Amino acid sequence: MRFLDINSDKIPLKIIREKRMNVRYSITRKHVMLRTPRFFGPEMIQQEIEKLTAWCAKQFERNPVLAQRFKPVKYNDRQVLHVLGEPLRLIFETKEGSNIRTKFTPEKKELIIRIPRTLEWFEADARRNAVQKTLAKICLPIVTRRVHELNEQYYGETVNSVRLKNNVSNWGSCSARKNINLSLRLLLAPPEILDYVIIHELAHLRELNHSTKFWSIIENIDPDYKKKEHWLKAQGHKLRV
């Protein structure tokens, strides 16, 4: 993996040489894509990278949301997150040893994360990974219970498993095996948005598609579902874990 240097940010670059006669640039959720003909040599590819860098800078200037997705999430000491609609204060401490330790105190609404001094150079990554894993652990039972509540209320279908995944490609998914997967980012969304995504994925237990029938199921349960869809499209980029 190579990187583009744009406004002091390191943007992941993926280069694909394939059977084609032209060059194509694109920006995905995880990296910037450069597609070139197979016959391009190192010098020609480097020229395209320079053009691509300038092109990306213009795209980011026009739409700052595109650039935001590549900025790493950084957590600060005593920062407050709103998780499942409730405030949660993050407290970071340095300790001896080699393992990260976390302690969640519901009564104080605090998450204490103790990071070894040996990880000082990687502390930003260590903080982020610790927050992700701990939120998934403490929130999964709550989210699972909510999935089953909404399923019993509206569907009465079989749900085999519920998982929280740190994905950015979608908000949720439902497999043919009746497994519900939800994005960890939804923990930071308003509760009604989380409920909507759960209702959406549960509907796939009946319709594994986005047909007219599928949306009819959604509308019967949540007549205002389009407002939630709009919120996710307009504000979803702000939910980063």
Side-chain angles (χ1 to χ4, degrees), residues 43-156:
E43 186 175 341
M44 297 178 72
I45 289 179
Q46 184 57 41
Q47 290 175 354
E48 291 301 330
I49 289 176
E50 293 173 2
K51 294 178 184 177
L52 174 59
T53 301
W55 178 81
C56 284
K58 290 182 179 179
Q59 301 305 312
F60 293 164
E61 183 178 355
R62 292 173 182 169
N63 186 1
V65 173
L66 288 177
Q68 187 67 25
R69 70 179 58 169
F70 297 109
K71 293 182 181 294
V73 178
K74 294 182 180 180
Y75 292 110
N76 301 313
D77 186 36
R78 309 200 70 79
Q79 177 179 347
V80 175
L81 300 179
H82 281 82
V83 180
L84 297 177
E86 296 290 336
L88 177 65
R89 187 178 301 278
L90 305 178
I91 299 177
F92 294 98
E93 299 177 352
T94 303
K95 72 177 191 70
E96 303 299 332
S98 58
N99 297 321
I100 296 175
R101 301 292 183 186
T102 61
K103 181 181 179 182
F104 172 54
T105 55
E107 63 279 3
K108 293 184 178 181
K109 297 183 180 179
E110 291 181 347
L111 175 57
I112 301 173
I113 300 176
R114 299 182 173 95
I115 298 177
R117 299 183 189 280
T118 53
L119 295 179
E120 181 180 0
W121 288 102
F122 311 99
E123 186 167 354
D125 290 338
R127 288 186 177 193
R128 185 171 64 253
N129 292 336
V131 170
Q132 290 172 351
K133 291 180 180 179
T134 307
L135 289 184
K137 181 179 179 180
I138 64 179
C139 293
L140 180 58
I142 301 172
V143 173
T144 299
R145 183 166 61 249
R146 188 57 178 157
V147 169
H148 287 292
E149 287 174 351
L150 291 172
N151 180 47
E152 291 175 8
Q153 183 177 357
Y154 297 115
Y155 297 100

Side-chain angles (χ1 to χ4, degrees), residues 7-231:
N7 299 324
S8 299
D9 290 327
K10 297 295 183 182
I11 311 298
L13 167 64
K14 188 173 184 178
I15 302 175
I16 297 180
R17 299 171 69 231
E18 56 190 4
K19 188 177 181 180
R20 62 186 302 129
M21 295 304 294
N22 59 355
V23 176
R24 183 183 177 189
Y25 306 153
S26 61
I27 301 174
T28 72
R29 291 184 178 274
K30 295 183 179 181
H31 46 246
V32 171
M33 184 86 73
L34 170 60
R35 295 179 180 273
T36 72
R38 289 177 180 171
F39 60 82
F40 270 32
E43 186 175 341
M44 297 178 72
I45 289 179
Q46 184 57 41
Q47 290 175 354
E48 291 301 330
I49 289 176
E50 293 173 2
K51 294 178 184 177
L52 174 59
T53 301
W55 178 81
C56 284
K58 290 182 179 179
Q59 301 305 312
F60 293 164
E61 183 178 355
R62 292 173 182 169
N63 186 1
V65 173
L66 288 177
Q68 187 67 25
R69 70 179 58 169
F70 297 109
K71 293 182 181 294
V73 178
K74 294 182 180 180
Y75 292 110
N76 301 313
D77 186 36
R78 309 200 70 79
Q79 177 179 347
V80 175
L81 300 179
H82 281 82
V83 180
L84 297 177
E86 296 290 336
L88 177 65
R89 187 178 301 278
L90 305 178
I91 299 177
F92 294 98
E93 299 177 352
T94 303
K95 72 177 191 70
E96 303 299 332
S98 58
N99 297 321
I100 296 175
R101 301 292 183 186
T102 61
K103 181 181 179 182
F104 172 54
T105 55
E107 63 279 3
K108 293 184 178 181
K109 297 183 180 179
E110 291 181 347
L111 175 57
I112 301 173
I113 300 176
R114 299 182 173 95
I115 298 177
R117 299 183 189 280
T118 53
L119 295 179
E120 181 180 0
W121 288 102
F122 311 99
E123 186 167 354
D125 290 338
R127 288 186 177 193
R128 185 171 64 253
N129 292 336
V131 170
Q132 290 172 351
K133 291 180 180 179
T134 307
L135 289 184
K137 181 179 179 180
I138 64 179
C139 293
L140 180 58
I142 301 172
V143 173
T144 299
R145 183 166 61 249
R146 188 57 178 157
V147 169
H148 287 292
E149 287 174 351
L150 291 172
N151 180 47
E152 291 175 8
Q153 183 177 357
Y154 297 115
Y155 297 100
E157 299 287 342
T158 298
V159 176
N160 286 328
S161 71
V162 179
R163 296 179 181 177
L164 288 172
K165 293 188 173 182
N166 186 29
N167 63 337
V168 296
S169 59
N170 58 38
W171 295 109
S173 63
C174 175
S175 72
R177 295 184 178 182
K178 302 183 183 299
N179 299 321
I180 303 293
N181 300 313
L182 299 168
S183 173
L184 198 61
R185 296 175 294 155
L186 287 168
L187 299 180
L188 306 184
E192 63 271 18
I193 298 298
L194 172 60
D195 277 0
Y196 165 67
V197 176
I198 293 174
I199 288 171
H200 182 114
E201 298 309 328
L202 287 171
H204 284 305
L205 295 173
R206 295 183 179 177
E207 292 290 323
L208 275 174
N209 51 52
H210 287 103
S211 63
T212 301
K213 185 176 180 180
F214 170 85
W215 289 112
S216 178
I217 293 173
I218 297 294
E219 188 170 21
N220 286 336
I221 295 173
D222 185 357
D224 291 330
Y225 80 90
K226 290 184 179 179
K227 292 182 180 179
K228 277 90 171 188
E229 285 278 333
H230 177 75
W231 191 96

